[in-house]
């Protein structure tokens, strides 16, 4: 699986996990050079607190277009630290 936006490869891995229709990439497969911490936070009832990244490529910013769970609830431990994308980020095989 590969995540791309604005011509850049944000993440690439054959070890992604699908949860609720979203592909989560292992942290080591993500190109962090394109991610900046966001102030956005949300809560999922079964996964826990979600943190976001802004995706920044070629001077353009896609606000809160990546997210992850730094400390999941027990039932979601298998995606702890994994990163998922949305808001126009293309995830393809």
């Amino acid at each position: 699986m590969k995540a791309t936006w604005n011509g850049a490869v944000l993440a690439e891995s054959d070890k992604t996990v699908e949860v609720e229709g979203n592909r989560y990439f292992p942290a080591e497969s993500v190109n962090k050079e394109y991610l900046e911490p966001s102030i956005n936070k949300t809560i999922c009832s079964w996964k826990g607190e979600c943190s976001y990244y802004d995706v920044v490529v070629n001077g353009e910013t896609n606000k809160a277009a990546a997210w992850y769970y730094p400390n999941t609830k027990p039932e979601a431990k298998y995606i702890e630290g994994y990163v998922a994308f949305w808001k126009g980020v293309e995830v393809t095989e």
Side-chain angles (χ1 to χ4, degrees), residues 36-86:
E36 293 182 0
S38 169
I39 60 170
N40 291 36
K41 301 241 189 250
T42 57
I43 300 287
C44 173
S45 62
W46 72 275
K47 289 178 276 199
E49 185 176 87
C50 182
S51 295
Y52 291 80
Y53 291 115
D54 293 337
V55 175
V56 181
V57 176
N58 298 325
E60 292 187 45
T61 301
N62 192 346
K63 294 255 185 212
W67 75 91
Y68 67 102
Y69 293 87
N71 298 296
T72 63
K73 292 185 176 185
E75 51 273 16
K77 281 291 179 199
Y78 63 100
I79 60 162
E80 189 169 282
Y82 279 50
V83 179
F85 300 93
W86 66 333

